[in-house]
Amino acid sequence: MTLGELFLKSLSSGVITQGEVDWLASHQHAFSRHEEAAAIRLGRLMDEGVVNLGCRLTPQWLHHRDVLEHWIEPLGRRRHAATH
């Protein structure tokens, strides 16, 4: 992982994981000047609430949730409503 990858991933998802924060802290001694600036910017984005500490959901889980909400649950609601 590079700081640039971490910065873009966090900015695009709005989430930074605890493991990524740990990685950031443990590698800061090796950052170049522009990487230090990016790390500071990432910290400011966290302070502003643009990037939040949390976890990212896998695309498979998001697909499962979409199927559940749009296909499975509506079928169950119709069947349940018909029996009452």
Side-chain angles (χ1 to χ4, degrees):
M1 172 179 351
T2 67
L3 181 58
E5 292 169 336
L6 175 59
F7 184 85
L8 292 175
K9 191 177 195 180
S10 297
L11 191 57
S12 66
S13 68
V15 174
I16 187 167
T17 67
Q18 184 62 52
E20 291 166 341
V21 171
D22 293 344
W23 179 89
L24 187 65
S26 67
H27 287 81
Q28 64 184 342
H29 67 279
F31 291 161
S32 66
R33 192 170 179 88
H34 73 276
E35 288 174 321
E36 286 178 10
I40 291 169
R41 179 70 179 135
L42 186 54
R44 288 188 180 140
L45 291 169
M46 291 175 68
D47 290 342
E48 295 168 4
V50 175
V51 174
N52 297 291
L53 185 61
C55 65
R56 289 186 198 88
L57 300 176
T58 63
Q60 293 85 3
W61 191 91
L62 292 173
H63 176 71
H64 172 74
R65 189 187 73 196
D66 188 48
V67 169
L68 183 66
E69 288 178 7
H70 294 102
W71 294 96
I72 297 171
E73 285 184 359
L75 292 173
R77 282 189 216 124
R78 284 188 214 130
R79 186 181 73 223
H80 183 69
T83 61
H84 286 359

